[in-house]
Amino acid sequence: MIGLIYVAFPALSVTVLARLHFWLHNIGLPVLVLAIAGKKYGMPDIGVLIIIGWVLLAAGVVLFMVNVWDRLR
């Protein structure tokens, strides 16, 4: 959905918020997925990485929402 919005409104993808969103999302998502997989396979003390992944992912989504709200207003 986020990619479709960036394609529909290309001016949104050239802002600093878009770049921050990109990096937070693309770092947070793999961390979260790998941490959840590690938890499933019994890795101890992996909960911290799950929290870090969620926080990075959520921060990226919030930056996306702020970018859309600010630029399309």
Side-chain angles (χ1 to χ4, degrees), residues 6-54:
Y6 279 143
V7 168
F9 302 100
L12 293 175
S13 64
V14 295
T15 64
V16 173
L17 287 176
R19 291 181 193 273
L20 288 172
H21 158 246
F22 173 82
W23 285 109
L24 286 174
H25 196 92
N26 284 306
I27 292 171
L29 188 61
V31 169
L32 178 63
V33 169
L34 292 174
I36 290 172
K39 178 117 177 137
K40 179 180 173 12
Y41 291 108
M43 290 182 67
D45 301 328
I46 202 77
V48 172
L49 284 179
I50 292 174
I51 293 170
I52 290 170
W54 272 118

